[in-house]
mmCIF file with all atom_site columns, all heavy atoms in Angstrom:
data_model
loop_
_atom_site.group_PDB
_atom_site.id
_atom_site.type_symbol
_atom_site.label_atom_id
_atom_site.label_alt_id
_atom_site.label_comp_id
_atom_site.label_asym_id
_atom_site.label_entity_id
_atom_site.label_seq_id
_atom_site.pdbx_PDB_ins_code
_atom_site.Cartn_x
_atom_site.Cartn_y
_atom_site.Cartn_z
_atom_site.occupancy
_atom_site.B_iso_or_equiv
_atom_site.pdbx_formal_charge
_atom_site.auth_seq_id
_atom_site.auth_comp_id
_atom_site.auth_asym_id
_atom_site.auth_atom_id
_atom_site.pdbx_PDB_model_num
ATOM 1  N N   . ASN C 1 380 ? -13.110 106.027 -35.943 1.00 85.00 ? 380 ASN C N   1
ATOM 2  C CA  . ASN C 1 380 ? -14.221 106.815 -35.399 1.00 85.00 ? 380 ASN C CA  1
ATOM 3  C C   . ASN C 1 380 ? -14.712 107.874 -36.395 1.00 85.00 ? 380 ASN C C   1
ATOM 4  O O   . ASN C 1 380 ? -15.069 108.994 -36.017 1.00 85.00 ? 380 ASN C O   1
ATOM 5  C CB  . ASN C 1 380 ? -13.822 107.475 -34.084 1.00 85.00 ? 380 ASN C CB  1
ATOM 6  C CG  . ASN C 1 380 ? -15.026 107.764 -33.199 1.00 85.00 ? 380 ASN C CG  1
ATOM 7  O OD1 . ASN C 1 380 ? -16.048 107.076 -33.289 1.00 85.00 ? 380 ASN C OD1 1
ATOM 8  N ND2 . ASN C 1 380 ? -14.927 108.784 -32.362 1.00 85.00 ? 380 ASN C ND2 1
ATOM 9  N N   . ASN C 1 381 ? -14.717 107.527 -37.671 1.00 90.00 ? 381 ASN C N   1
ATOM 10 C CA  . ASN C 1 381 ? -15.270 108.416 -38.696 1.00 90.00 ? 381 ASN C CA  1
ATOM 11 C C   . ASN C 1 381 ? -16.211 107.623 -39.588 1.00 90.00 ? 381 ASN C C   1
ATOM 12 O O   . ASN C 1 381 ? -16.347 106.406 -39.442 1.00 90.00 ? 381 ASN C O   1
ATOM 13 C CB  . ASN C 1 381 ? -14.166 109.075 -39.517 1.00 90.00 ? 381 ASN C CB  1
ATOM 14 C CG  . ASN C 1 381 ? -13.274 108.047 -40.204 1.00 90.00 ? 381 ASN C CG  1
ATOM 15 O OD1 . ASN C 1 381 ? -13.554 106.840 -40.167 1.00 90.00 ? 381 ASN C OD1 1
ATOM 16 N ND2 . ASN C 1 381 ? -12.204 108.501 -40.828 1.00 90.00 ? 381 ASN C ND2 1
ATOM 17 N N   . PHE C 1 382 ? -16.877 108.302 -40.507 1.00 92.00 ? 382 PHE C N   1
ATOM 18 C CA  . PHE C 1 382 ? -17.851 107.664 -41.385 1.00 92.00 ? 382 PHE C CA  1
ATOM 19 C C   . PHE C 1 382 ? -17.656 108.172 -42.811 1.00 92.00 ? 382 PHE C C   1
ATOM 20 O O   . PHE C 1 382 ? -17.238 109.308 -43.020 1.00 92.00 ? 382 PHE C O   1
ATOM 21 C CB  . PHE C 1 382 ? -19.285 107.965 -40.911 1.00 92.00 ? 382 PHE C CB  1
ATOM 22 C CG  . PHE C 1 382 ? -19.549 107.543 -39.498 1.00 92.00 ? 382 PHE C CG  1
ATOM 23 C CD1 . PHE C 1 382 ? -19.423 108.457 -38.459 1.00 92.00 ? 382 PHE C CD1 1
ATOM 24 C CD2 . PHE C 1 382 ? -19.904 106.243 -39.202 1.00 92.00 ? 382 PHE C CD2 1
ATOM 25 C CE1 . PHE C 1 382 ? -19.651 108.085 -37.154 1.00 92.00 ? 382 PHE C CE1 1
ATOM 26 C CE2 . PHE C 1 382 ? -20.141 105.847 -37.890 1.00 92.00 ? 382 PHE C CE2 1
ATOM 27 C CZ  . PHE C 1 382 ? -20.007 106.778 -36.863 1.00 92.00 ? 382 PHE C CZ  1
ATOM 28 N N   . GLU C 1 383 ? -17.983 107.320 -43.790 1.00 94.00 ? 383 GLU C N   1
ATOM 29 C CA  . GLU C 1 383 ? -17.808 107.692 -45.189 1.00 94.00 ? 383 GLU C CA  1
ATOM 30 C C   . GLU C 1 383 ? -19.124 107.809 -45.932 1.00 94.00 ? 383 GLU C C   1
ATOM 31 O O   . GLU C 1 383 ? -19.118 108.021 -47.146 1.00 94.00 ? 383 GLU C O   1
ATOM 32 C CB  . GLU C 1 383 ? -16.895 106.687 -45.889 1.00 94.00 ? 383 GLU C CB  1
ATOM 33 C CG  . GLU C 1 383 ? -15.491 106.652 -45.309 1.00 94.00 ? 383 GLU C CG  1
ATOM 34 C CD  . GLU C 1 383 ? -14.517 105.845 -46.159 1.00 94.00 ? 383 GLU C CD  1
ATOM 35 O OE1 . GLU C 1 383 ? -14.786 105.695 -47.370 1.00 94.00 ? 383 GLU C OE1 1
ATOM 36 O OE2 . GLU C 1 383 ? -13.514 105.371 -45.605 1.00 94.00 ? 383 GLU C OE2 1
ATOM 37 N N   . GLY C 1 384 ? -20.239 107.655 -45.265 1.00 93.00 ? 384 GLY C N   1
ATOM 38 C CA  . GLY C 1 384 ? -21.543 107.750 -45.925 1.00 93.00 ? 384 GLY C CA  1
ATOM 39 C C   . GLY C 1 384 ? -21.921 106.436 -46.567 1.00 93.00 ? 384 GLY C C   1
ATOM 40 O O   . GLY C 1 384 ? -22.768 105.696 -46.060 1.00 93.00 ? 384 GLY C O   1
ATOM 41 N N   . VAL C 1 385 ? -21.308 106.124 -47.702 1.00 96.00 ? 385 VAL C N   1
ATOM 42 C CA  . VAL C 1 385 ? -21.402 104.816 -48.338 1.00 96.00 ? 385 VAL C CA  1
ATOM 43 C C   . VAL C 1 385 ? -20.001 104.440 -48.813 1.00 96.00 ? 385 VAL C C   1
ATOM 44 O O   . VAL C 1 385 ? -19.182 105.310 -49.135 1.00 96.00 ? 385 VAL C O   1
ATOM 45 C CB  . VAL C 1 385 ? -22.402 104.792 -49.525 1.00 96.00 ? 385 VAL C CB  1
ATOM 46 C CG1 . VAL C 1 385 ? -23.828 104.940 -49.043 1.00 96.00 ? 385 VAL C CG1 1
ATOM 47 C CG2 . VAL C 1 385 ? -22.039 105.840 -50.557 1.00 96.00 ? 385 VAL C CG2 1
#
Side-chain angles (χ1 to χ4, degrees):
N380 205 27
N381 58 7
F382 303 95
E383 297 190 23
V385 291

